Amino acid sequence: MTETISRAASAPAGPATAYDLVIRGNRIMTTAGEVAREVGIRDGKIVAIEPLGNNLEGAEVIELSAEEVLLPGLVDTHVHVNEPGRTEWEGFASATRAAAAGGVTTIIDMPLNSIPPTVNVDALEQKRAAAREQAFVDVGFWGGAIPGNQGDLRGLHDEGVFGFKCFLLHSGVDEFPHLEADEMESDMAVLKTFDSIMIVHAEDSRAIDRAPTAEGDHYDKFLASRPRGAENVAIAEVIERARWTGARAHVLHLSSSDALPMIASAKRDGVRITAETCPHYLTLISEEIPNGATAYKCCPPIREAGNRELLWEGLLDGTIDCIVSDHSPSTLDLKDLENGDFAVAWGGVSSLQLGLSLIWTEARRRGITLDKVIDWMSTKPAALAGLNSKGKLALGYDADLSIFAPDESYVVDPAKLHHKNPITAYAQKPLSGVVRKTYLRGQQIDSQTPAGQLLRRGMA
């Protein structure tokens, strides 16, 4: 296990205690890969990375054990915290504790399912007020684009939101209505004027309306009710509207592998398009979901094994840019556990605390290295949001770090997770990789004293 040596009481001030914290180990995940290094941290920043054996000194020195890797903290740009307004679903205290336990040091909160949704500056201030004294990790915010709030977009941007989310079909909550494709294009043209980004829940409402009903407890009926074609049509709209306006656009929670060639082609054409996917689409398959198991319901849905394999290929070839959680929790009753009706149950998977272990378990089985996982889950999401001091273990970056034991295993117990409601699609699933400690700006997160900062676009 990690060995901590404190020198604060005995060492004099001066060169010997030049750093607040020094972490030494044979497995430090730098931008050059996993190497033997010593990391010096001062005032919350990484200010030295030197070869192991240089004996950097600090007020506190941590010696990693042979089985531990020092990682940059993960950046999760797709989290539904739901506070204020639906705090019984999740809240900033529980969500950020869960994040820290999973090695996530920065989250960006979605503009729904809170009440009010983050569609104007006043709502953003209410969200910040709720988060300010509760956050154990750093928290930023997306704004929302809905019918009628185009005049609020610039104000939200100036107040520091990282971009704007819209839906192309009913969002699931009435207070966050969806945009038609022409409305999205109009908003994208506005966002282009100040180089913001439109992030899109891309499912086509017409295709969903014409699909079979999801009523009942059979997962295959639910899967048929959210066909790949609904995603494909909507993603095509996002690509073309981004092409026409020149705006940046991002496809959220990609589940349909059919859309990968379109996205790849658009990227080659110079369209400013990026895409993400989520742990549930990369680790679960529809063939193994029991009937009535509404913990697995999410929109778009978990699809077939062959689809999953193509999503992994899309990650490896760069068509998909990053992996984020889409942590979308609810209360137990909203999951309709008693009846298991997929048409009634809330659609969302809780995985904020588990993402690193989930993806590492699947990646190592495929021969994919840990540094690639960190690129997808830390470096690329930070770049998406323009978080220029997050996502890398590098000089000048925030000392947001986790100590990870990749060979240690555990079995998921929902009751032991920090999520507010003890339900997850991963219950009793054996996973590889345990986060032993997480640091925010060089301070270990203790889950008792909230020290997270509220982030604004351009500040980090």
Side-chain angles (χ1 to χ4, degrees), residues 17 24 51-52 65 127-128 159 165-166 188 223 228 260 266 291 306 343 351 373 390 406 421 428 455 458:
T17 54
R24 302 175 182 152
L52 187 64
S65 63
K127 185 75 73 90
R128 284 177 169 155
E159 279 297 311
K165 180 178 186 177
C166 74
M188 289 169 76
L223 184 59
R228 296 189 200 194
L260 291 170
N291 289 334
S351 63
V373 170
K390 308 285 189 184
N421 289 280
Q428 307 311 311
L455 304 178

Side-chain angles (χ1 to χ4, degrees), residues 134-148:
Q134 297 193 76
F136 290 92
V137 303
D138 285 355
V139 179
F141 302 93
W142 296 109
I146 63 171

Side-chain angles (χ1 to χ4, degrees), residues 136-158:
F136 290 92
V137 303
D138 285 355
V139 179
F141 302 93
W142 296 109
I146 63 171
N149 86 323
Q150 189 173 98
D152 293 295
L153 302 182
R154 183 57 192 254
L156 282 163
H157 174 79
D158 290 345

Side-chain angles (χ1 to χ4, degrees), residues 16 18 40 68 138 160 165 168 209 215 235 250 271 301 332 337 362 381 404 416 419 430 452:
E68 292 175 333
D138 285 355
K165 180 178 186 177
L168 291 176
D209 289 344
E215 184 178 2
I235 290 169
H250 179 72
V271 178
L332 299 184
L337 300 176
E362 191 71 21
F404 185 61
K416 293 181 179 179
H419 306 155

Side-chain angles (χ1 to χ4, degrees), residues 351-409:
S351 63
L352 180 55
Q353 186 171 335
L354 300 171
L356 179 56
S357 298
L358 287 164
I359 295 302
W360 173 236
T361 300
E362 191 71 21
R364 74 187 308 189
R365 184 174 72 81
R366 298 164 179 275
I368 298 170
T369 56
L370 185 56
D371 63 322
K372 195 66 180 171
V373 170
I374 294 304
D375 186 50
W376 290 326
M377 302 189 76
S378 184
T379 308
K380 293 288 180 59
L384 170 71
L387 290 163
N388 297 322
S389 65
K390 308 285 189 184
K392 295 180 183 179
L393 200 166
L395 292 175
Y397 279 67
D398 289 348
D400 298 347
L401 306 164
S402 70
I403 296 174
F404 185 61
D407 297 323
E408 189 175 344
S409 61

